[in-house]
Amino acid sequence: MSYSVEFTAAGLESLEEISPTNQKRVLRKIRWLSENLDDITPQALKADLSGLFNPDFSQRFSEVA
């Protein structure tokens, strides 16, 4: 299964601020995640970052029909 990814204007602006090499790395990882999300087991963040990530993706991602 594959998922679609939409970028906000702020996300695109942030992406433009990094080097072209790092842009490619970030976009390659996002593409990989959109294609493999069902095959991984995400883990919640801990310590100071707890609460920033919820491994329940059902509210965040939409399946590509």
Side-chain angles (χ1 to χ4, degrees):
M1 182 176 308
S2 185
Y3 293 85
S4 65
V5 177
E6 294 180 13
F7 292 92
T8 63
L12 289 174
E13 289 175 14
S14 294
L15 190 61
E16 291 174 355
E17 293 176 2
I18 62 177
S19 71
T21 300
N22 285 332
Q23 288 176 11
K24 289 177 186 176
R25 292 175 68 193
V26 168
L27 292 172
R28 189 172 31 237
K29 180 56 88 171
I30 291 170
R31 184 180 312 115
W32 184 90
L33 285 168
S34 75
E35 295 169 353
N36 296 285
L37 189 60
D38 290 332
D39 299 327
I40 63 172
T41 304
Q43 297 179 358
L45 299 172
K46 297 179 182 178
D48 295 342
L49 302 175
S50 66
L52 294 178
F53 173 77
N54 181 349
D56 178 15
F57 289 110
S58 62
Q59 300 291 326
R60 293 192 171 89
F61 295 95
S62 62
E63 297 176 19
V64 175

